């Protein structure tokens, strides 16, 4: 059984080609906590969307870091995605599909967006380790084809 | 890590763009190019995601714009899912309502048939 | 000087024509706390965006309520916008401009999106009463770097 | 509450759609209609927000799509701001980067002149 407050931390340059690395490292971490496999896939999707936003939006004219940290606290995994960029800035001309934040909000049990120390953005998401009633439908991804 | 995606040309005037393993914003431009080349050449497109374990919304955007472009040009466009398609792929399609907006088939053969229906080259 | 934990609460039908009512009531409440006038205007904008989302997205096929509550806790106003709708659901065909959530995140010191009890969405935003902490350093995010 | 918005027709082939007081999703459809009618009639548009105390992103969407439609049709389009424009209006334009994307003038007269420059009816 996993001990509380096991931690995970990674810091890479905010570049698209690093997002798979972050994802794989996070997935490896999540495999050490008692979370159903399908739920791990969803958490990894939500965190990928947050990382993609750092790559696409945080540093319009410069290089910068992408940091991801995760902790298991009791039955809840908290993941924090952080940058030192320009802070959340609405864009009417975003190159994205515009579903990143709502996808994160739909998957996570809660999501908090805050200003990181100094500058930049911190996205904090929580996910119950066991797939309880807090997100109905998340385990019934029945796409009939 | 991400396996190499490939493109197969079928006899039905459909190019099959195969997404293997994980695809996200780091590979979505490549997928967009592959889809775009097929459509520019007047061929229909199947995006075969039967072996796709993961996609993010950057890939979703490419699928949607591919379908829109195919409709404008008048060629077929379909997505193939299968039993080995990853949970994250199905969940993202479902969450965003795209499982209803995209033409989705089970397996490559059925997807090629669906795309060929809308394809002038096969009529 | 305002006492801590002064409260504000309003509940209306989730309809576009009720959003101005909520806004005016909230503005009247905010005028009782020591917040600069321009900052009140920004808070009211962020809350309007959250209310608009309830009207546009929460109840696709039904009627429902829009609830807004606010509290002053020390130097921080917390506003909660709540519905009993379908929960945050990403839409690629949203009729909106897609800047609502980022506008809220840019204006608020922090924003949390969670599932309301049972069903629906709760958007919780905090705003420092005095404009000091509204930018850099407002958050004691603890990602060890 | 929200004062009544109005439309003034100028001699320069420009309709002035005046946003008075607060406008949001509850009035944005009306504003959209007023802008649309002017453009459909081949007239340019000034959206006078000198007396606008508040707008939300629903109104912003209408402004953007109005400007896009005016450009497509080839008529002028400009926004007037002034000293009595509300802080929320300026803040929203600024936050979203629209203060750079929209044609913005100080006061109605200057806005009408800017819109008329792009307007074939006034040339
Ligand atoms: N880390 C970030 N730094 C700066 N801006 C951000 C960040 N994350 C999100 N944003 C802003 O929030 C908006 C909404 O993000 P999202 O829902 O993921 O849609 P998309 O990225 O497709 O536009 C983005 O367009 C961007 O303006
Ligand atoms: N209260 C809510 N209930 C359900 N879905 C919501 C709610 N608020 C936001 N959403 C979802 O989040 C998305 C992003 O919201 P927003 O950034 O305000 O953009 P817009 O409303 O213009 O699409 C919406 O398109 C919608 O799918």
């Amino acid at each position: 059984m996993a001990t509380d407050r096991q931690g995970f931390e990674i810091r890479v340059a905010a570049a698209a080609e690093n997002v798979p690395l972050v994802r794989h490292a996070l997935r490896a971490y999540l495999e050490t906590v008692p979370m159903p496999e399908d739920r791990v896939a969803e958490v990894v999707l939500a965190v990928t969307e947050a990382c993609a936003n750092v790559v696409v939006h945080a540093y319009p004219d410069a290089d910068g870091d992408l940091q991801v940290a995760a902790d298991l606290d009791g039955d809840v995994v908290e993941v924090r995605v952080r940058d030192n960029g320009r802070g959340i800035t609405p864009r009417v001309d975003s190159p994205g599909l515009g579903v990143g934040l709502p996808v994160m909000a739909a998957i996570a049990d809660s999501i908090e967006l805050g200003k990181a120390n100094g500058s930049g953005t911190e996205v904090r998401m929580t996910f119950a380790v066991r797939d309880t009633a807090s997100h109905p439908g998340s385990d019934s991804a029945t796409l009939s084809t | 890590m991400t396996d190499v995606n490939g493109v197969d040309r079928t006899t039905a005037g459909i190019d099959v763009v195969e997404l293997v393993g994980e695809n996200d914003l780091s590979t979505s431009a490549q997928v967009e190019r592959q889809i775009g080349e097929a459509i520019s050449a007047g061929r229909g497109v199947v995006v075969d995601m039967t072996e796709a374990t993961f996609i993010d919304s950057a890939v979703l955007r490419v699928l949607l714009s591919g379908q829109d472009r195919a409709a404008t040009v008048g060629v077929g466009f379909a997505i193939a899912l299968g039993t080995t398609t990853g949970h994250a792929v199905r969940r993202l399609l479902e969450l965003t309502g795209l499982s209803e907006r995209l033409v989705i088939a089970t397996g490559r053969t059925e997807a090629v048939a669906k795309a060929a229906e809308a394809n002038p080259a096969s009529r």
Side-chain angles (χ1 to χ4, degrees), chain A, chain B:
Chain A
M1 193 177 157
T3 323
D4 281 1
R5 283 269 144 212
Q6 291 188 329
F8 163 83
E9 244 185 275
I10 188 168
R11 179 205 295 235
V12 296
E17 64 267 27
N18 287 334
V19 174
L21 304 181
V22 172
R23 185 166 60 238
H24 300 148
L26 176 69
R27 188 182 289 126
Y29 167 71
L30 290 173
E31 279 160 5
T32 70
V33 309
M35 190 180 262
E37 193 184 338
D38 279 358
R39 187 65 178 153
V40 168
E42 295 173 6
V43 173
V44 156
L45 171 59
V47 175
T48 294
E49 294 293 336
C51 294
N53 276 350
V54 173
V55 170
V56 176
H57 301 296
Y59 306 103
D61 310 307
D63 294 338
D65 282 350
L66 160 64
Q67 288 174 265
V68 178
D71 281 295
L72 176 64
D73 192 1
D75 273 345
V76 174
V77 172
E78 181 182 276
V79 182
R80 297 176 298 284
V81 177
R82 196 166 166 190
D83 64 66
N84 302 300
R86 64 170 174 176
I88 294 220
T89 313
R91 297 176 59 176
V92 296
D93 61 347
S94 171
L97 192 55
V99 298
L101 290 177
V103 162
M104 295 177 229
I107 291 175
D109 296 326
S110 75
I111 173 169
E112 187 177 341
L113 309 173
K115 281 137 187 129
N117 278 341
S119 74
T121 301
E122 183 178 73
V123 177
R124 195 182 321 203
M125 292 180 273
T126 61
F127 308 91
V129 163
R130 285 180 188 77
D131 212 5
T132 57
S134 62
H135 31 264
S138 70
D139 54 348
S140 59
T142 43
L143 195 81
S144 43
T145 56
Chain B
M1 309 274 145
T2 307
D3 300 73
V4 177
N5 301 324
V7 182
D8 288 339
R9 187 155 308 166
T10 71
T11 50
I14 306 290
D15 277 7
V16 178
V17 176
E18 193 177 13
L19 302 197
V20 179
E22 302 188 3
N23 282 275
D24 64 9
L25 75 161
S26 67
T27 58
S28 58
Q30 181 210 5
V31 178
E32 187 163 32
R33 209 176 323 108
Q34 291 172 333
I35 293 175
E37 280 168 11
I39 295 175
S40 297
R43 291 191 295 272
V45 174
V46 160
V47 181
D48 182 347
M49 304 209 291
T50 53
E51 303 290 333
T53 54
F54 181 89
I55 61 170
D56 72 354
S57 74
V59 177
L60 215 57
R61 190 191 61 72
V62 166
L63 297 181
L64 257 188
S65 70
Q67 171 158 298
D68 288 350
R69 243 195 102 199
T72 306
V73 171
V75 296
F77 190 96
I79 308 284
L81 301 183
T83 50
T84 46
T85 299
H87 176 70
V89 177
R90 290 182 180 272
R91 188 81 182 106
L92 185 60
L93 290 172
E94 179 191 80
L95 259 181
T96 54
L98 287 196
S99 43
E100 270 146 49
R101 241 174 103 110
L102 292 165
V103 175
I104 296 182
T106 303
R108 183 191 284 221
T109 309
E110 189 184 311
V112 170
K114 273 203 184 177
E117 278 172 32
N119 217 33
S122 66
R123 283 197 290 257

